[in-house]
Amino acid sequence: MVPSILFEIMLIGLLGIGSQWLSWRYRMPAIVVMSVAGLLVGPIFGLMNPEEDFGDVYNPIITVAVAIILFEGSLNLSFKELRGLGKPVFRISTVGAFIAWILGSLTAHYIAGLSWTVAFVIGGLFIVTGPTVILPLLRQSKLKPRPAKILKWEGIIVDPIGALLAVFAFEIIAYFTANNPDGSALILFFAASIFAAILGWACGRGIGWMFETGNIPEYLKSPAVFVVVILCFTIADEIMHETGLLAVTAMGMTLANMGISSVADMRHFKENMSMLLISAIFIMLTASLQVEVLLEIFQPEIIGYVLLMMFIVRPLSIFLSTLGTDLSLNEKLLVGWIAPRGIVALTVSSYFASILSDAGYEDASIITTLTFGLVFFTVVAHGFSIRWMAKKLHLSMEGRPGTIIVGSNEFTVELAKSLTKVKAPVIIVDSSWERLRKTREAGIPFYHGEMLSEQTEYHLDTTPYEYLIAATDFHSYNALVCTTFMPEYGRTNVYKASPYTLVDNMNDVVDKIGGKIIFKDDMSMEDLSSKITSGYVFRQTTITDQYNYNRYLSERDEETVLLYMLKPSGKMYYYSEDLKITPEAGDIVVSLAPPSKEYKKIQEKLVNQRNNL
């Protein structure tokens, strides 16, 4: 066992973030790595058992963390995202959830051998997927926007619905099996659910109004939101268990659709907090499992139940609920396969296991084992298969990383042409229809609009793009664009054109704001555009063992501007002064090079002809 609670908290954080880093570094599903890490330090090696070590505060920690995670996820549920997706999302979240509940309950009764009461309770619980498992998968899988948005909306909306269905099933069955049925419990359940939704809406509107009117200072906005989330969750949950999830979901969706800029400003902080909580909770839950539970997972009835839930219940509920919608067959196949269960299923199932056991249902003791079996198998199967399946169904954004270029001019149009030739997605964004004329004539994908506008977020699909280059003639605007999108794309993937010209004194002014300077610090946008008008051309040079990179550098023209390099793996790197990667054999270097001597002769001939006319 670990020497102290403080050491255990440190270890949980280290394992959680370490698992996230390993999954990013080696492109593995983060939830799988976290689950394995928790099992290793918990039931396998016995280094810690958070449930025992934390005692009475264990469950409150988990439930509050789940509430914050669910709120953060619902804060991204803007109804503007539902353009063209409203019908499928509504069907899956209502009709699909109901079908999955009925089929899952029948499977639990006839395959897992559970009583009708226990079967219908966990049948409602197991319709949930949730942001704790869906969002990390979507972050790594690079799905196309339609299936990604459907899975995200379903995961967040169905999370509280599943918990409420489990409570509803228990209350209904308790009512009908009681010797003297009393409908007051049912009335209380429905009233508490309505109250939770209204409370969440009121908290969202209230905190939003305080933000808009300036009644909360900037430095208190994030802390205030988290306190109100906990307040909203606790009040609802104290009235009726599990309605707190509904309350925080309603609060998050209310704030998301109020159009408050302060909420958008805090989003990255809340995402970071959610990432830390997801990592910690997965480690704590898996580390708290008993060895006996792990061994029971491999019982035939549990394996049979899990397989039917994965291969029959989930696909059938999706196909039936999306009849008559515009979802393609491939989209139905992908959405029908991806349904990993996560934290909400684990935490709520433990609550119902104790409630049902106290009510005299002996088979309730298997709920924890059944839940973890479903969670572990779905997390592993869906985590490792989502990228492969999306690629097979042509629903992934595979290929070279794409680039968003902000600003249409002579240079950016030619740069976009060169990226198109190497099959790298590219799009030019500009608010001027006149400046976009060259882009349109060249056949380059473009978006006519203001990059910093909120509308652009909903109309411009940014999924294929990993890089952003701000290359307008306005240096301050370039810096502002880079600063705005740096949290989304990463500090190393956001570039801007140099604000300097060759006559500037580089020692007097140092511009470090908003993104890295692309290509060369002393190569401004004006310089690059003038090279295009002077006849400079884009050249691709393949580095080989015989013609290595050092030889290429020594033989190239001094006026050549190195633009980007391409790896055989599909990776792409833009040149900047601090680029540390050296091209190797097989890499392609793309540069902007002076015209050849033959081209110069043709230019001189044309000039002479004009002079003689």
Side-chain angles (χ1 to χ4, degrees):
M1 297 295 289
V2 294
S4 66
I5 295 295
L6 179 61
F7 187 89
E8 186 167 332
I9 294 173
M10 179 277 296
L11 185 59
I12 290 170
L14 183 64
L15 289 173
I17 299 304
S19 299
Q20 294 279 4
W21 182 84
L22 282 175
S23 65
W24 166 79
R25 181 67 178 82
Y26 298 102
R27 295 190 175 185
M28 294 186 296
I31 46 181
V32 175
V33 181
M34 289 186 289
S35 298
V36 172
L39 291 175
L40 288 176
V41 298
I44 294 178
F45 293 114
L47 298 179
M48 64 179 180
N49 186 330
E51 186 173 11
E52 291 183 359
D53 299 337
F54 290 173
D56 294 337
V57 300
Y58 175 80
N59 285 327
I61 290 174
I62 298 293
T63 52
V64 168
V66 170
I68 293 173
I69 293 167
L70 194 57
F71 167 77
E72 191 278 324
S74 61
L75 203 59
N76 296 314
L77 297 183
S78 173
F79 292 126
K80 294 178 181 178
E81 281 193 1
L82 286 178
R83 288 188 179 95
L85 292 176
K87 189 175 182 180
V89 169
F90 177 77
R91 290 275 198 88
I92 291 172
S93 302
T94 54
V95 178
F98 180 77
I99 295 173
W101 177 34
I102 299 301
L103 293 179
S105 301
L106 294 174
T107 304
H109 177 71
Y110 288 109
I111 303 301
L114 300 179
S115 63
W116 283 114
T117 302
V118 178
F120 270 96
V121 169
I122 68 167
L125 177 61
F126 287 166
I127 69 171
V128 303
T129 52
T132 58
V133 284
I134 284 295
L135 296 184
L137 285 186
L138 297 181
R139 192 177 294 116
Q140 297 174 1
S141 59
K142 293 184 179 180
L143 290 184
K144 288 184 177 179
R146 277 174 60 89
K149 288 179 181 178
I150 290 172
L151 288 170
K152 181 183 76 171
W153 273 83
E154 181 208 8
I156 296 171
I157 292 175
V158 174
D159 235 22
I161 291 177
L164 290 175
L165 269 181
V167 177
F168 174 71
F170 178 74
E171 296 292 346
I172 285 287
I173 294 173
Y175 173 77
F176 284 110
T177 57
N179 294 327
N180 298 309
D182 183 7
S184 59
L186 282 177
I187 296 174
L188 177 61
F189 167 74
F190 287 112
S193 299
I194 295 172
F195 171 77
I198 295 174
L199 176 65
W201 173 84
C203 288
R205 295 293 300 184
I207 199 76
W209 174 81
M210 294 187 73
F211 282 1
E212 287 183 307
T213 55
N215 285 305
I216 298 180
E218 290 296 325
Y219 71 94
L220 279 182
K221 285 185 175 179
S222 291
V225 167
F226 280 109
V227 169
V228 174
V229 168
I230 297 172
L231 169 74
C232 180
F233 174 81
T234 303
I235 291 175
D237 212 60
E238 288 294 318
I239 294 173
M240 174 66 71
H241 203 65
E242 304 310 329
T243 58
L245 299 178
L246 177 62
V248 295
T249 303
M251 178 181 169
M253 291 181 66
T254 301
L255 274 173
N257 290 279
M258 288 181 67
I260 303 172
S261 59
S262 299
V263 175
D265 294 339
M266 293 187 298
R267 183 166 291 148
H268 298 295
F269 170 75
K270 292 190 291 292
E271 287 175 351
N272 294 337
M273 180 63 70
S274 180
M275 175 74 70
L276 180 62
L277 291 174
I278 289 173
S279 306
I281 292 176
F282 253 104
I283 298 296
M284 291 172 64
L285 288 173
T286 51
S288 299
L289 292 170
Q290 302 296 323
V291 177
E292 294 77 14
V293 173
L294 297 179
L295 296 177
E296 288 177 356
I297 290 174
F298 299 99
Q299 294 179 4
E301 59 270 23
I302 292 181
I303 293 178
Y305 172 77
V306 170
L307 292 177
L308 282 175
M309 289 290 288
M310 293 172 62
F311 292 98
I312 302 295
V313 174
R314 170 66 178 183
L316 194 58
S317 65
I318 295 299
F319 271 85
L320 292 177
S321 63
T322 54
L323 289 174
T325 66
D326 61 347
L327 288 187
S328 66
L329 177 61
N330 285 356
E331 288 172 332
K332 291 180 181 180
L333 287 172
L334 182 66
V335 175
W337 168 243
I338 302 301
R341 276 63 169 189
I343 290 174
V344 172
L346 283 172
T347 54
V348 179
S349 67
S350 62
Y351 164 76
F352 280 109
S354 61
I355 292 294
L356 291 168
S357 296
D358 294 341
Y361 296 97
E362 296 181 359
D363 53 342
S365 60
I366 202 176
I367 287 181
T368 302
T369 303
L370 200 64
T371 305
F372 184 76
L374 186 63
V375 168
F376 187 77
F377 283 117
T378 54
V379 161
V380 172
H382 300 154
F384 279 108
S385 65
I386 185 170
R387 288 177 66 96
W388 173 85
M389 190 171 185
K391 188 175 182 179
K392 290 294 182 182
L393 295 174
H394 307 291
L395 294 175
S396 68
M397 307 300 299
E398 294 295 332
R400 295 193 185 278
T403 303
I404 295 178
I405 302 176
V406 182
S408 176
N409 51 57
E410 289 86 354
F411 172 74
T412 57
V413 170
E414 295 301 321
L415 176 63
K417 284 183 182 179
S418 76
L419 290 169
T420 302
K421 289 179 181 178
V422 298
K423 295 182 169 56
V426 63
I427 189 169
I428 294 179
V429 179
D430 204 304
S431 59
S432 170
W433 190 253
E434 175 60 27
R435 287 195 295 267
L436 283 170
R437 182 174 58 84
K438 296 180 183 296
T439 304
R440 290 182 279 119
E441 291 174 351
I444 302 298
F446 68 91
Y447 175 77
H448 177 226
E450 171 54 59
M451 189 64 192
L452 297 174
S453 170
E454 183 184 358
Q455 296 302 316
T456 301
E457 180 181 351
Y458 301 109
H459 291 94
L460 177 61
D461 175 22
T462 60
T463 308
Y465 310 108
E466 294 186 15
Y467 298 101
L468 183 143
I469 300 175
T472 71
D473 295 329
F474 306 100
H475 309 316
S476 58
Y477 179 78
N478 293 341
L480 181 60
V481 169
C482 291
T483 302
T484 302
F485 289 94
M486 193 179 293
E488 181 175 345
Y489 290 91
R491 189 172 298 273
T492 58
N493 290 356
V494 174
Y495 299 91
K496 64 181 177 183
S498 173
Y500 307 112
T501 62
L502 295 177
V503 298
D504 281 326
N505 188 344
M506 295 287 291
N507 296 322
D508 291 341
V509 181
V510 179
D511 186 2
K512 295 294 184 182
I513 300 174
K516 300 165 62 177
I517 294 177
I518 198 167
F519 310 138
K520 297 173 67 177
D521 286 351
D522 59 355
M523 189 65 61
S524 70
M525 199 68 251
E526 293 84 355
D527 299 324
L528 292 169
S529 295
S530 66
K531 289 183 182 298
I532 297 296
T533 56
S534 300
Y536 276 58
V537 294
F538 285 77
R539 291 206 176 113
Q540 295 183 19
T541 305
T542 302
I543 305 300
T544 63
D545 291 329
Q546 294 75 26
Y547 190 71
N548 58 35
Y549 188 57
N550 289 331
R551 182 178 174 185
Y552 166 73
L553 292 178
S554 63
E555 294 182 1
R556 71 186 174 103
D557 191 288
E558 292 182 357
E559 297 298 318
T560 297
V561 180
L562 301 178
L563 302 177
Y564 57 90
M565 74 175 77
L566 302 168
K567 294 280 186 181
S569 63
K571 283 246 183 193
M572 184 170 70
Y573 298 93
Y574 282 99
Y575 274 90
S576 63
E577 294 289 355
D578 59 351
L579 181 66
K580 305 298 183 184
I581 298 174
T582 302
E584 302 171 343
D587 295 348
I588 297 174
V589 176
V590 179
S591 61
L592 182 62
S596 61
K597 293 180 180 180
E598 291 76 11
Y599 179 82
K600 289 182 178 179
K601 290 180 180 179
I602 295 173
Q603 290 290 95
E604 292 174 359
K605 185 177 180 180
L606 290 173
V607 171
N608 292 331
Q609 288 176 350
R610 291 195 196 100
N611 293 333
N612 294 330
L613 291 176

Short mmCIF file of all heavy atoms in Angstrom, two decimals, residues 555-595:
data_model
loop_
_atom_site.label_atom_id
_atom_site.label_comp_id
_atom_site.label_asym_id
_atom_site.label_seq_id
_atom_site.Cartn_x
_atom_site.Cartn_y
_atom_site.Cartn_z
N GLU A 555 23.77 23.69 -52.02
CA GLU A 555 23.63 23.91 -53.45
C GLU A 555 22.44 24.79 -53.83
O GLU A 555 22.33 25.24 -54.97
CB GLU A 555 23.50 22.56 -54.17
CG GLU A 555 24.75 21.71 -54.08
CD GLU A 555 24.62 20.40 -54.86
OE1 GLU A 555 23.54 20.18 -55.48
OE2 GLU A 555 25.58 19.61 -54.85
N ARG A 556 21.54 25.02 -52.90
CA ARG A 556 20.36 25.83 -53.23
C ARG A 556 20.75 27.29 -53.39
O ARG A 556 21.77 27.75 -52.87
CB ARG A 556 19.29 25.69 -52.14
CG ARG A 556 19.66 26.36 -50.83
CD ARG A 556 18.65 26.09 -49.74
NE ARG A 556 19.11 26.64 -48.47
CZ ARG A 556 18.66 27.75 -47.93
NH1 ARG A 556 17.69 28.43 -48.54
NH2 ARG A 556 19.12 28.19 -46.78
N ASP A 557 19.93 28.03 -54.10
CA ASP A 557 20.14 29.46 -54.27
C ASP A 557 19.93 30.18 -52.94
O ASP A 557 19.06 29.80 -52.14
CB ASP A 557 19.15 30.00 -55.32
CG ASP A 557 19.49 31.41 -55.75
OD1 ASP A 557 19.28 32.32 -54.94
OD2 ASP A 557 19.95 31.59 -56.89
N GLU A 558 20.73 31.19 -52.68
CA GLU A 558 20.63 31.90 -51.41
C GLU A 558 19.28 32.58 -51.21
O GLU A 558 18.85 32.83 -50.08
CB GLU A 558 21.75 32.95 -51.32
CG GLU A 558 23.14 32.35 -51.22
CD GLU A 558 24.20 33.41 -51.09
OE1 GLU A 558 23.83 34.61 -51.15
OE2 GLU A 558 25.38 33.06 -50.93
N GLU A 559 18.60 32.89 -52.32
CA GLU A 559 17.31 33.56 -52.23
C GLU A 559 16.15 32.59 -52.01
O GLU A 559 15.00 33.01 -51.86
CB GLU A 559 17.04 34.36 -53.51
CG GLU A 559 18.04 35.48 -53.75
CD GLU A 559 17.98 36.52 -52.63
OE1 GLU A 559 16.85 36.85 -52.21
OE2 GLU A 559 19.05 36.97 -52.19
N THR A 560 16.43 31.30 -51.97
CA THR A 560 15.39 30.29 -51.79
C THR A 560 14.79 30.38 -50.38
O THR A 560 15.52 30.50 -49.40
CB THR A 560 15.94 28.88 -52.02
OG1 THR A 560 16.39 28.77 -53.38
CG2 THR A 560 14.87 27.83 -51.77
N VAL A 561 13.46 30.31 -50.31
CA VAL A 561 12.76 30.33 -49.02
C VAL A 561 12.22 28.93 -48.74
O VAL A 561 11.43 28.40 -49.53
CB VAL A 561 11.60 31.35 -49.04
CG1 VAL A 561 10.89 31.35 -47.68
CG2 VAL A 561 12.10 32.73 -49.38
N LEU A 562 12.67 28.31 -47.66
CA LEU A 562 12.19 26.98 -47.28
C LEU A 562 10.79 27.12 -46.68
O LEU A 562 10.58 27.90 -45.73
CB LEU A 562 13.14 26.34 -46.28
CG LEU A 562 14.58 26.15 -46.76
CD1 LEU A 562 15.45 25.54 -45.67
CD2 LEU A 562 14.63 25.28 -48.01
N LEU A 563 9.82 26.36 -47.20
CA LEU A 563 8.43 26.51 -46.79
C LEU A 563 7.97 25.41 -45.84
O LEU A 563 7.55 25.69 -44.72
CB LEU A 563 7.52 26.55 -48.02
CG LEU A 563 7.82 27.66 -49.02
CD1 LEU A 563 6.92 27.54 -50.23
CD2 LEU A 563 7.70 29.02 -48.38
N TYR A 564 8.01 24.17 -46.29
CA TYR A 564 7.57 23.07 -45.42
C TYR A 564 8.20 21.77 -45.90
O TYR A 564 8.71 21.68 -47.03
CB TYR A 564 6.05 22.96 -45.38
CG TYR A 564 5.38 22.76 -46.72
CD1 TYR A 564 5.15 21.49 -47.25
CD2 TYR A 564 4.93 23.85 -47.46
CE1 TYR A 564 4.51 21.31 -48.46
CE2 TYR A 564 4.30 23.69 -48.69
CZ TYR A 564 4.08 22.42 -49.19
OH TYR A 564 3.45 22.25 -50.40
N MET A 565 8.20 20.78 -45.03
CA MET A 565 8.72 19.46 -45.38
C MET A 565 7.63 18.41 -45.17
O MET A 565 6.75 18.56 -44.31
CB MET A 565 9.96 19.12 -44.56
CG MET A 565 9.68 18.77 -43.11
SD MET A 565 11.16 18.24 -42.23
CE MET A 565 11.95 19.81 -41.96
N LEU A 566 7.70 17.35 -45.97
CA LEU A 566 6.73 16.26 -45.91
C LEU A 566 7.44 14.96 -45.58
O LEU A 566 8.46 14.63 -46.19
CB LEU A 566 6.02 16.13 -47.27
CG LEU A 566 5.29 17.37 -47.78
CD1 LEU A 566 4.90 17.19 -49.24
CD2 LEU A 566 4.06 17.63 -46.94
N LYS A 567 6.91 14.25 -44.59
CA LYS A 567 7.44 12.95 -44.21
C LYS A 567 6.68 11.84 -44.94
O LYS A 567 5.49 11.99 -45.24
CB LYS A 567 7.30 12.75 -42.69
CG LYS A 567 8.14 13.70 -41.86
CD LYS A 567 9.57 13.23 -41.79
CE LYS A 567 10.40 14.08 -40.84
NZ LYS A 567 11.80 13.63 -40.79
N PRO A 568 7.34 10.70 -45.23
CA PRO A 568 6.61 9.58 -45.85
C PRO A 568 5.43 9.10 -45.02
O PRO A 568 4.46 8.57 -45.56
CB PRO A 568 7.68 8.49 -45.96
CG PRO A 568 8.98 9.22 -45.96
CD PRO A 568 8.76 10.42 -45.09
N SER A 569 5.48 9.31 -43.71
CA SER A 569 4.38 8.90 -42.82
C SER A 569 3.14 9.76 -42.98
O SER A 569 2.08 9.42 -42.46
CB SER A 569 4.85 8.95 -41.37
OG SER A 569 5.19 10.27 -41.00
N GLY A 570 3.26 10.89 -43.69
CA GLY A 570 2.14 11.81 -43.84
C GLY A 570 2.28 13.06 -42.99
O GLY A 570 1.55 14.02 -43.17
N LYS A 571 3.24 13.07 -42.07
CA LYS A 571 3.46 14.24 -41.23
C LYS A 571 3.98 15.41 -42.07
O LYS A 571 4.65 15.22 -43.08
CB LYS A 571 4.47 13.91 -40.13
CG LYS A 571 3.88 13.09 -38.99
CD LYS A 571 3.89 13.93 -37.75
CE LYS A 571 3.39 13.16 -36.54
NZ LYS A 571 3.13 14.05 -35.42
N MET A 572 3.69 16.61 -41.62
CA MET A 572 4.11 17.81 -42.32
C MET A 572 4.60 18.82 -41.30
O MET A 572 4.02 18.95 -40.22
CB MET A 572 2.95 18.37 -43.13
CG MET A 572 3.31 19.58 -43.98
SD MET A 572 1.99 20.02 -45.13
CE MET A 572 0.78 20.64 -43.97
N TYR A 573 5.67 19.53 -41.65
CA TYR A 573 6.24 20.53 -40.75
C TYR A 573 6.50 21.81 -41.54
O TYR A 573 7.13 21.77 -42.60
CB TYR A 573 7.55 20.05 -40.13
CG TYR A 573 7.42 18.81 -39.29
CD1 TYR A 573 7.61 17.54 -39.83
CD2 TYR A 573 7.11 18.90 -37.94
CE1 TYR A 573 7.48 16.40 -39.06
CE2 TYR A 573 6.98 17.77 -37.15
CZ TYR A 573 7.16 16.52 -37.72
OH TYR A 573 7.03 15.39 -36.94
N TYR A 574 6.01 22.93 -41.02
CA TYR A 574 6.30 24.22 -41.62
C TYR A 574 7.62 24.74 -41.07
O TYR A 574 7.93 24.57 -39.89
CB TYR A 574 5.18 25.22 -41.34
CG TYR A 574 3.97 25.02 -42.21
CD1 TYR A 574 2.86 24.33 -41.74
CD2 TYR A 574 3.94 25.51 -43.51
CE1 TYR A 574 1.75 24.14 -42.55
CE2 TYR A 574 2.83 25.32 -44.33
CZ TYR A 574 1.74 24.63 -43.84
OH TYR A 574 0.64 24.44 -44.64
N TYR A 575 8.37 25.39 -41.93
CA TYR A 575 9.65 25.96 -41.50
C TYR A 575 9.42 27.22 -40.66
O TYR A 575 8.54 28.01 -40.94
CB TYR A 575 10.52 26.30 -42.71
CG TYR A 575 11.34 25.13 -43.20
CD1 TYR A 575 10.83 24.27 -44.16
CD2 TYR A 575 12.61 24.89 -42.70
CE1 TYR A 575 11.58 23.20 -44.63
CE2 TYR A 575 13.37 23.82 -43.16
CZ TYR A 575 12.85 22.97 -44.12
OH TYR A 575 13.59 21.90 -44.56
N SER A 576 10.24 27.34 -39.64
CA SER A 576 10.33 28.56 -38.84
C SER A 576 11.73 28.59 -38.26
O SER A 576 12.49 27.62 -38.38
CB SER A 576 9.27 28.56 -37.72
OG SER A 576 9.49 27.50 -36.81
N GLU A 577 12.07 29.71 -37.65
CA GLU A 577 13.45 29.86 -37.16
C GLU A 577 13.80 28.84 -36.08
O GLU A 577 14.96 28.49 -35.90
CB GLU A 577 13.64 31.28 -36.61
CG GLU A 577 13.55 32.38 -37.66
CD GLU A 577 14.74 32.41 -38.60
OE1 GLU A 577 15.69 31.63 -38.39
OE2 GLU A 577 14.74 33.22 -39.54
N ASP A 578 12.79 28.35 -35.33
CA ASP A 578 13.07 27.43 -34.23
C ASP A 578 12.75 25.98 -34.56
O ASP A 578 12.63 25.15 -33.66
CB ASP A 578 12.32 27.86 -32.97
CG ASP A 578 10.81 27.90 -33.19
OD1 ASP A 578 10.38 27.76 -34.35
OD2 ASP A 578 10.08 28.08 -32.20
N LEU A 579 12.59 25.65 -35.85
CA LEU A 579 12.32 24.27 -36.22
C LEU A 579 13.55 23.42 -35.94
O LEU A 579 14.66 23.71 -36.40
CB LEU A 579 11.96 24.18 -37.71
CG LEU A 579 11.62 22.78 -38.23
CD1 LEU A 579 10.34 22.26 -37.59
CD2 LEU A 579 11.49 22.78 -39.75
N LYS A 580 13.36 22.34 -35.17
CA LYS A 580 14.48 21.51 -34.75
C LYS A 580 14.61 20.22 -35.56
O LYS A 580 15.56 19.48 -35.40
CB LYS A 580 14.33 21.14 -33.27
CG LYS A 580 14.16 22.33 -32.33
CD LYS A 580 15.36 23.24 -32.35
CE LYS A 580 15.19 24.39 -31.36
NZ LYS A 580 16.31 25.35 -31.42
N ILE A 581 13.63 19.93 -36.42
CA ILE A 581 13.62 18.66 -37.15
C ILE A 581 14.42 18.80 -38.45
O ILE A 581 14.22 19.75 -39.21
CB ILE A 581 12.17 18.23 -37.45
CG1 ILE A 581 11.42 18.01 -36.15
CG2 ILE A 581 12.13 16.98 -38.32
CD1 ILE A 581 9.95 17.72 -36.32
N THR A 582 15.33 17.86 -38.69
CA THR A 582 16.14 17.86 -39.90
C THR A 582 15.60 16.82 -40.88
O THR A 582 15.39 15.66 -40.51
CB THR A 582 17.60 17.52 -39.56
OG1 THR A 582 18.09 18.48 -38.62
CG2 THR A 582 18.47 17.55 -40.82
N PRO A 583 15.35 17.19 -42.13
CA PRO A 583 14.85 16.22 -43.12
C PRO A 583 15.81 15.05 -43.29
O PRO A 583 17.04 15.21 -43.25
CB PRO A 583 14.75 17.06 -44.40
CG PRO A 583 14.60 18.47 -43.91
CD PRO A 583 15.42 18.55 -42.67
N GLU A 584 15.24 13.87 -43.49
CA GLU A 584 16.01 12.65 -43.69
C GLU A 584 15.69 12.07 -45.07
O GLU A 584 14.85 12.61 -45.80
CB GLU A 584 15.68 11.64 -42.59
CG GLU A 584 15.95 12.16 -41.19
CD GLU A 584 15.42 11.22 -40.12
OE1 GLU A 584 14.57 10.36 -40.47
OE2 GLU A 584 15.83 11.36 -38.96
N ALA A 585 16.36 10.98 -45.41
CA ALA A 585 16.14 10.33 -46.70
C ALA A 585 14.66 9.94 -46.84
O ALA A 585 14.09 9.35 -45.93
CB ALA A 585 17.03 9.11 -46.84
N GLY A 586 14.06 10.30 -47.96
CA GLY A 586 12.64 10.02 -48.19
C GLY A 586 11.75 11.21 -47.95
O GLY A 586 10.61 11.25 -48.42
N ASP A 587 12.25 12.22 -47.22
CA ASP A 587 11.47 13.43 -46.96
C ASP A 587 11.48 14.33 -48.19
O ASP A 587 12.42 14.33 -48.99
CB ASP A 587 12.02 14.18 -45.76
CG ASP A 587 11.90 13.39 -44.47
OD1 ASP A 587 11.19 12.37 -44.48
OD2 ASP A 587 12.50 13.80 -43.46
N ILE A 588 10.44 15.14 -48.31
CA ILE A 588 10.33 16.10 -49.41
C ILE A 588 10.35 17.51 -48.83
O ILE A 588 9.60 17.81 -47.90
CB ILE A 588 9.04 15.88 -50.22
CG1 ILE A 588 9.05 14.50 -50.87
CG2 ILE A 588 8.86 16.96 -51.28
CD1 ILE A 588 7.76 14.14 -51.58
N VAL A 589 11.21 18.34 -49.37
CA VAL A 589 11.30 19.74 -48.95
C VAL A 589 10.67 20.61 -50.04
O VAL A 589 11.05 20.51 -51.22
CB VAL A 589 12.75 20.16 -48.71
CG1 VAL A 589 12.83 21.65 -48.37
CG2 VAL A 589 13.37 19.34 -47.58
N VAL A 590 9.71 21.42 -49.66
CA VAL A 590 9.05 22.33 -50.60
C VAL A 590 9.57 23.74 -50.33
O VAL A 590 9.57 24.20 -49.18
CB VAL A 590 7.52 22.28 -50.46
CG1 VAL A 590 6.85 23.26 -51.44
CG2 VAL A 590 7.01 20.86 -50.70
N SER A 591 9.99 24.41 -51.39
CA SER A 591 10.60 25.73 -51.23
C SER A 591 10.07 26.69 -52.29
O SER A 591 9.49 26.28 -53.30
CB SER A 591 12.12 25.62 -51.35
OG SER A 591 12.48 25.11 -52.64
N LEU A 592 10.29 27.96 -52.03
CA LEU A 592 9.98 29.02 -52.99
C LEU A 592 11.32 29.48 -53.55
O LEU A 592 12.10 30.15 -52.87
CB LEU A 592 9.25 30.17 -52.30
CG LEU A 592 8.81 31.34 -53.19
CD1 LEU A 592 7.82 30.89 -54.25
CD2 LEU A 592 8.21 32.46 -52.34
N ALA A 593 11.60 29.10 -54.79
CA ALA A 593 12.93 29.28 -55.36
C ALA A 593 12.91 30.29 -56.50
O ALA A 593 11.89 30.47 -57.17
CB ALA A 593 13.48 27.94 -55.86
N PRO A 594 14.04 30.95 -56.73
CA PRO A 594 14.13 31.89 -57.86
C PRO A 594 13.91 31.17 -59.17
O PRO A 594 14.16 29.97 -59.29
CB PRO A 594 15.56 32.43 -57.75
CG PRO A 594 15.99 32.15 -56.36
CD PRO A 594 15.29 30.90 -55.96
N PRO A 595 13.43 31.89 -60.19
CA PRO A 595 13.20 31.24 -61.49
C PRO A 595 14.52 30.77 -62.10
O PRO A 595 15.59 31.31 -61.81
CB PRO A 595 12.55 32.34 -62.32
CG PRO A 595 12.98 33.62 -61.66
CD PRO A 595 13.09 33.30 -60.20
#
